[in-house]
Structure formats: structure tokens, C-alpha cells
Amino acid sequence: MSKVKLPYLLLLPGFLFLFTFFILPIANLAQTSTQTPIADGDTGQYEQTLRFSNYLDAFTENQEQFARSFVFALCATVLALAISYPLAYAIAFKAGKLKNFLLVLVVAPFFVSFLLRTVAWKQILGEEGFIVPSLRTFGIISESTTLTSTSFAVIMGMTYNFLPFMTLPLYASLERIDPRTMEASGDLYANGITTFRKVTLPLSMPGVVAGTLLTFIPAAGDYVNAAILGSPNTRMIGNVIESRYFKIVDYPTAAALSFTLMVAILILVTLYIRKAGTEELV
Amino acid sequence: MSKESSLSPEARSIIGAMVSRRAVLAGAGGLGAAGLLAACGGGSDSADSANNVRWGNWPLYLDYDEDTKKYPTLDKFSEATGVTAEYFEDYNDNDEFYGKVQAQLKLGEDIGYDVVTPTDWMAARWIRLGYTQKFDSANIPNKSNILDSLASPSYDPNREQTLTWQGIMSGFGWNTEKNPKGIRTIDDLFAPQNKGKIVVLSEMRDTIGIILLSQGVDLQTVTEDQFMNAVDFMEKKIADGWIRGVKGNEYAEDLTSGDATAVIGWSGDMFILASENEGKFDFAIPDSGGTISGDNLLVPSTASAEGKANAEKLINFYYDPVIAAEVAAYVNYVCPVKGAQEEMEKFDPELASSPYIFPDAATSAKLGVFRSLTPAEETTWGEAFQKAAGN
């Protein structure tokens, strides 16, 4: 076998896999997105008419849910970052012998199904959980206020569910920082805050970028948290796609919405990476 | 039983296994094998149907023995006929199930079931599209046991290809501590103590049906304007913060957790909730009327001749009043089989007098059936309902 062919052979399994499970479905989705119902056809029967205005209709009808998806995803990402950074910092620099144990704890939620964890949140925030009654006892929320079926619950659920995706890349990049760079900063009379601002944070940026992407992208398309913890007033675009596909059997609109979501995320991510830079991402 | 929720099939099978029907009430112990099986089920590829029948049904919709982890009537069926039954509790949602099998139905490939259990309107769609097989009546002599009120639906006037599995009434369910006077009208439902704690069904025909009935509309002649008007009513109640959720049978979980105090719900669920929580919950058909629908046993066009014959044996078996009474005593939905009430009196006279399992004339008179929708209506009305529900 010639040496030229070997790399292609090595690529073959990956290529075949992606072709079958990514390219083909995407192509199918694309061709579905411009179909229209067959005249006098039954529910779910569509024909190809290359109606590109499906996209415009789908987008204009669901702007609210699109906007909500991105706002919720942004809130969850910011919250996750605020929680994860100190956490990852502590594990990387201060945990000592406990380091591995703490890392296992961060990953531990993955051992339980995503759905079960979300349902558990419903119970935690529910009327018979301990949070609502205690908040009421202290008069922080009124008798009639509930926590489930609110935007708060949905954002909290997303923050929790995607937290490890933020923590792990942050940890990986913080852990790689040579402590001597921080010592050097101290030797040059920088105080703790300045050292963090000028040394630690810039050096951990690859982790921040990777973590925020890994959180934001799935969060924007998530629908499980909104379905379980939300109300009709907190539906995200994922819920709309799900109901279009399975409930209304409106495949073209569902496909058009999926594509629009993909493109919207792609644009946002491109802008973000341009701004943040990816040179050190890997 | 018609349940929907805004989750994916996988999500639903897991959550469905956790929260549906008895499992909700029996607590963790009630999860049992039925639920776990439901989560793993998925039809069967086995083409060897000579002595086998594959049945896809809704979760916890057949008598189940927690101790032996078996379905007693299904075992009796196998003993009586020598046909083994593969039972899948994976019909979690009409639309989802249809989405899963429709491509195979279209191509005429085996969908993995010899008998399935769609709700009326979905059964109507299968018939319209030619995805069903006509029964050989000679194989189902017990067919004549079907209640007169269910014997001739518009989608299958002579019951040639469908037979009701169970009937489902929907009406108001409530927490008796928060609503001591009960709920009989739509105004009782939207009373101040329930603000933000009302859950309505994601089954369009039930929720909108009950709103329409409260507005004096006949469900057999409902027009698009009337329908949209009722959808607007629901949408406003959601926007104003009265309704907290539009859900499938997860509403039962919300009631037990206290997150919901009043619901538009299904009789069978409410019946179990009431009986297992010592009067904490109650159910009533609204004064202005409730809805009734049915889930139907039917044989998919893709079933083999042997599969069909065995499915017919199964259907015939469950139309035996003795067996039907056993099932009804467990599932607590409306029993479609004549003579089952008399059979149930022999082992549970109190249950046999329940108007929710065997509706009396007064109850039946208050029940409306949603008219069949055209495919175009199904789409536009469904779309309006889903939009109002936030989707």
C-alpha cells in the first residue's frame, strides 16, 4: 500500500460514519424544509415545491421562542461561568490531594440520566420540596409564588445540567498554567487581583471560550428543561421544533426551524470566536 | 388514553415510566418492571409470528401484578390459546408513535407490532391512509359485546377494523383541600385559589372540547371560528398566568406534589388519585359536559397473516366480559364491554357501581364526542392549539 493512500484509509471510518449519520440526515432535512402539503393529501403528506419562504414564515412566527432560547442560553452560560470559574480555580490550584476526588464529583452527575436529574429539579423546586416552604417561612416569596413553571426554573435547570461542560475545560486550561507565572507576577509587585486579571485570566481564556461554547450551543437548542421545568410562557425553540415535528406533523416548518437555529448558532459562535480568538483553543 | 407531552420519544418513555398511572401513586416501589420494560421496549423484529402476537399499548394500561411482575390476563390468554404475547408498553403518545412507524407503514415494511392501540382520531388517520387490516369477524365472535354507544364511530361505522380498548372521559379534577366546594363549571376552575396552579391536557380535543362545551358549542358541529375562539380563551388564561401547564398525564404528578390544585384531566387517573389519597382529590364531569374518546385495538397493514390471526384471537379474548372486568378493575377507565359490569360485581361490587368505569345514563348524557376533523383542519387547528400552548 502506498504511503499516500494510508491517511485516506484512516479517514474512511470517520467519513462513512459522518456521511451516514450527519450528511445524509442534513440533506434530507434541507430538502424537507422547502416542501408544501399535497393538495387534498392527508396529515403529514408533503411534496417538494422549493418553497423557500417556509423559512421566513417559520422564523417570523416563532421569533419570540428564538429570542427566548438565546436569552435563556446566555443567562445559563453566564451563570455557569460564574459558578464554574471559582470551582475550577479551586480544584486546579487549591485542592491538593482532593483534586481527583473533586473532579469525580464534578463529573458524577453524568452517571445519572439527564432526564432524571431534571425531573429531580422539579421536585426540589416544587411545592413539597424544601426550598419553597423555607423561602415562604422567611417571607422571601409570597404564598402564591411558585418556582416551578417559571423562567427561573428553566435557567437554573440548564445551568445545572451544563455545568460540567463549563467546569471541565476551565479546569483543563487553569491546570496547565505554570504557577511560576503567577509567582513572577507577584515578584513584579502585582497584587492578587492584578495577577488574576493580567496573568491567570488571559492564560485561561481558551478554557473560557471552550466552556462557554460547550454550554451555550446545547443550551440554545435544549428543550428538555423548558418542557419539564417551564410553562407555556417559557417555551424555547426546541419545544417548537418538537411539537411541529411530532404533534402537528408539519415536517417542513420543523426542518426550516432546525436549519434556522443551526445557522443562527453558527453566526453567533463565529462572531464570538472572532472576538475571543481560537488560536489557543486547543 | 391519550397522552402527550412536549418531550422526545426517549424522554417520554423514561418519564412516562416514572410518572404515569399507578406508578405515580404507588411511589417508587410501583415503578416496577412494567415501567422499565416500557423504557426498553420498541416493538419486535421477530418475523416468527406463527405462535406469537406483538402488542403495542400505552403504559400501565393492562392489569399488572406487582408481585409476580406479570400481566395476569395476558398469561391467561397464552394458556387459553397457546399463543404467546409480546407486550410492549411503548405507545406513549399518538403523534410520536405515528412519527416512529409511518415511514415503514408507507413502505409496507413490518413495524414490529401485530396490534396497536391508537386513540380515535389517530385510528381514523390510519384507516384513511389504508394502514389497517379488516378483521375476519368469524375470529372475533365477542365483537358483539361492544357497548352500543361505541359500536359505530364515524371512522369505522361497522367496527370492521377497530375495537375500543378502553374509553376515556375527561373532566375537572381538583384538590379538595383547596377547592372544598368542588369544581363543576369553568368559572369554578378559574377561581382565585387556583390561579397559577391549573394544568390542562395537551390532548387538544379534550381541553378545547371542555372549553367549547362550557361555551354551549356542540362538539359534533364545531366550526373553525368556534374552535379558534376557545383556543383564544385558553391562550389568554395562559398569558394571564392562570394556567401553569398544558400537559399529558404528568398533571397527576403536579396534583400530588401540590404544584397544581385544579386540572382538566382524565377519569381513570383521577379515579386512582382519589382512591389512593383518601379523598384529597376528586373528579367530576363538568355541568356543561365533558368529553369521551377511546383507544382502539387495530391490526396494522404490515402484520402478517399469522400475526393478524393471533391479534384477532387476542382481541376476542379481551372482549370476553370476565377478562374485560379484570382489566377494568385495574385500569379504571371506561370499560367498553357489555356484561363486564355484572362480572365485576362478583368480585368488587363497589367498583362495579362506579359511573366512571360503567357510565350510567346520567353520566353518558353529559359526554360529548369531538367530531372527525379533515386533514386540513387537523393541521390548522392543531397548529393553533400548539401555538397557544407556547409551542
Side-chain angles (χ1 to χ4, degrees), chain A:
Chain A
M1 176 187 319
S2 77
K3 280 190 175 172
V4 190
K5 279 185 186 158
L6 185 63
Y8 291 104
L9 271 177
L10 291 175
L11 278 174
L12 198 64
F15 173 77
L16 280 178
F17 185 84
L18 285 177
F19 182 79
T20 319
F21 295 105
F22 183 69
I23 308 282
L24 283 183
I26 288 277
N28 186 34
L29 201 64
Q31 72 98 8
T32 307
S33 69
T34 52
Q35 292 180 346
T36 49
I38 297 172
D40 299 324
D42 209 305
T43 314
Q45 294 182 319
Y46 294 93
E47 60 187 350
Q48 184 59 268
T49 53
L50 294 178
R51 186 174 181 276
F52 287 95
S53 48
N54 276 353
Y55 280 86
L56 194 65
D57 293 350
F59 181 74
T60 43
E61 268 180 46
N62 298 291
Q63 284 171 351
E64 192 191 329
Q65 284 90 343
F66 264 113
R68 194 179 288 134
S69 296
F70 291 122
V71 171
F72 280 12
L74 187 69
C75 292
T77 309
V78 170
L79 267 174
L81 182 63
I83 297 169
S84 289
Y85 204 99
L87 181 66
Y89 189 91
I91 298 175
F93 297 122
K94 312 285 180 194
K97 281 182 192 162
L98 284 173
K99 196 186 255 187
N100 285 335
F101 175 68
L102 290 175
L103 275 178
V104 170
L105 283 190
V106 169
V107 186
F110 282 138
F111 300 153
V112 179
S113 151
F114 177 69
L115 286 167
L116 294 183
R117 284 183 279 134
T118 311
V119 172
W121 266 83
K122 194 172 159 176
Q123 249 121 53
I124 295 168
L125 296 175
E127 292 292 293
E128 291 186 348
F130 64 94
I131 295 179
V132 169
S134 17
L135 287 179
R136 284 202 183 127
T137 314
F138 293 114
I140 297 168
I141 58 169
S142 72
E143 274 304 312
S144 58
T145 312
T146 53
L147 294 183
T148 49
S149 296
T150 59
S151 310
F152 171 78
V154 179
I155 293 172
M156 280 302 155
M158 291 204 294
T159 306
Y160 164 74
N161 276 312
F162 295 116
L163 201 63
F165 294 106
M166 182 68 91
T167 311
L168 292 178
L170 276 176
Y171 166 78
S173 69
L174 281 168
E175 204 262 338
R176 268 189 306 187
I177 297 176
D178 187 340
R180 286 172 299 185
T181 56
M182 292 184 235
E183 287 163 22
S185 169
D187 292 344
L188 295 167
Y189 299 104
N191 60 23
I193 295 170
T194 314
T195 300
F196 177 76
R197 216 160 43 84
K198 299 271 189 187
V199 180
T200 320
L201 187 61
L203 286 174
S204 67
M205 272 319 275
V208 175
V209 174
T212 44
L213 286 179
L214 285 176
T215 309
F216 183 82
I217 296 173
D222 180 72
Y223 67 99
V224 171
N225 286 287
I228 296 180
L229 299 169
S231 76
N233 293 322
T234 64
R235 289 283 185 269
M236 296 170 64
I237 198 66
N239 304 96
V240 178
I241 295 173
E242 203 265 349
S243 95
R244 284 281 163 176
Y245 208 92
F246 284 115
K247 306 251 156 78
I248 310 175
V249 205
D250 179 0
Y251 302 138
T253 306
L257 283 171
S258 305
F259 254 99
T260 313
L261 178 66
M262 252 191 296
V263 171
I265 291 179
L266 204 64
I267 292 172
L268 285 174
V269 168
T270 314
L271 291 175
Y272 177 65
I273 291 178
R274 281 263 176 90
K275 188 103 179 146
T278 47
E279 301 79 30
E280 291 174 274
L281 199 57
V282 205

Side-chain angles (χ1 to χ4, degrees), chain A residues 42 148 223 242 246-247, chain B residues 5 7-8 95 128 244 378:
Chain A
D42 209 305
T148 49
Y223 67 99
E242 203 265 349
F246 284 115
K247 306 251 156 78
Chain B
S5 72
L7 286 173
S8 73
D95 294 300
R128 281 201 311 266
R244 65 182 279 120
E378 219 167 62

